Amino acid sequence: MGCVADPEPAGGRRPGLAGLPARSQAAALLALLLVAAGVGVHLVLTFLHVAPANTLSRQHAGLVDDWVYPEFEQNWKLFAPNPLQQDVSVQVRAEVGTADGGIRTTGWYDLSAEDGRAVAGNPLPSHTQQNELRRAWDFYTATHDSAGRRVGLRGGLAESYLRRIAVLRLERHDAAGPGGTLERVQYRSRTTVVPPPPWSAERAATRPAVRELPWWPADGADG
């Protein structure tokens, strides 16, 4: 009984990359290699950031920090000996230049509540919805004192990152309105201590703590 050759694909073209012209195959392969290389570099630099200090991480500390901060910063508060025991709500408002030359102040937009609603019931929430605002706020509080003064070399970067998030979120809400422009933005946070369980002897403050940041130009001119 003789062998039967595989039937030719409809139209004479082979499926997948094999069906592309040689030049397109080369371009697709190059793109895949570049993506794989980028992912590999990201994983290596992120590992050096979270790993215990070692010769390699110290030698390339500047490169690691430039890559990781602010978007990819990591922490382990969920699994640390002292996990985070606070509920932090971050809100923002804006001063808007109106079409008739006036200035008005918007109400407060609760960005944390928006992210919470986007995550609730979503089996595959995005990294942005889960972490962008939370990590940006952590980054800011780690590089500023209670009076808003910069205490680290990355304080300016933290402010720029928060400002960018504020402007993008406010534009999404069309906070400026018809003919208006965002002039300044301001953040505030409301921190509530998570009550200890009934069987615990811990005592926790029940009054929320409110922190209000100064106004920042929306265009980042002071950055």
Side-chain angles (χ1 to χ4, degrees):
M1 186 172 179
C3 295
V4 179
D6 292 336
E8 282 290 324
R13 293 190 59 183
R14 302 177 67 183
L17 289 177
L20 297 175
R23 182 174 298 180
S24 298
Q25 290 184 31
L29 180 60
L30 178 61
L32 289 174
L33 290 175
L34 290 175
V35 170
V39 171
V41 169
H42 173 71
L43 292 176
V44 169
L45 293 176
T46 302
F47 172 78
L48 290 176
H49 173 67
V50 300
N54 56 74
T55 302
L56 193 59
S57 64
R58 285 191 289 267
Q59 182 179 355
H60 300 286
L63 174 62
V64 171
D65 286 352
D66 288 344
W67 180 263
V68 168
Y69 293 104
E71 280 86 355
F72 304 120
E73 184 185 5
Q74 308 288 315
N75 71 40
W76 304 103
K77 287 184 179 179
L78 179 61
F79 305 103
N82 297 304
L84 189 64
Q85 295 178 308
Q86 296 176 330
D87 182 13
V88 182
S89 174
V90 179
Q91 303 165 349
V92 71
R93 65 177 177 175
E95 276 190 356
V96 174
T98 60
D100 59 4
I103 294 288
R104 67 176 175 86
T105 303
T106 69
W108 290 99
Y109 292 84
D110 193 334
L111 305 185
S112 296
E114 291 176 6
D115 287 351
R117 288 192 295 270
V119 170
N122 185 349
L124 295 172
S126 72
H127 172 77
T128 299
Q129 292 166 339
Q130 296 180 86
N131 298 315
E132 180 186 63
L133 179 66
R134 179 180 60 84
R135 295 302 304 127
W137 187 256
D138 286 348
F139 187 28
Y140 176 87
T141 57
T143 55
H144 292 75
D145 62 18
S146 58
R149 293 184 294 262
R150 300 175 185 176
V151 295
L153 297 177
R154 294 188 292 270
L157 178 61
E159 293 174 12
S160 297
Y161 190 36
L162 265 183
R163 185 193 343 256
R164 176 161 31 111
I165 292 172
V167 171
L168 289 174
R169 299 287 188 98
L170 289 166
E171 287 179 344
R172 188 184 305 167
H173 283 284
D174 194 23
T181 56
L182 294 176
E183 300 292 341
R184 299 197 300 171
V185 297
Q186 183 184 36
Y187 275 98
R188 76 175 179 187
S189 68
R190 186 176 184 271
T191 302
T192 307
V193 176
V194 176
W199 47 260
S200 172
E202 283 186 75
R203 294 289 181 268
T206 57
R207 185 176 182 180
V210 177
R211 179 176 183 179
E212 200 166 282
L213 304 191
W215 286 94
W216 294 331
D219 60 2
D222 67 341

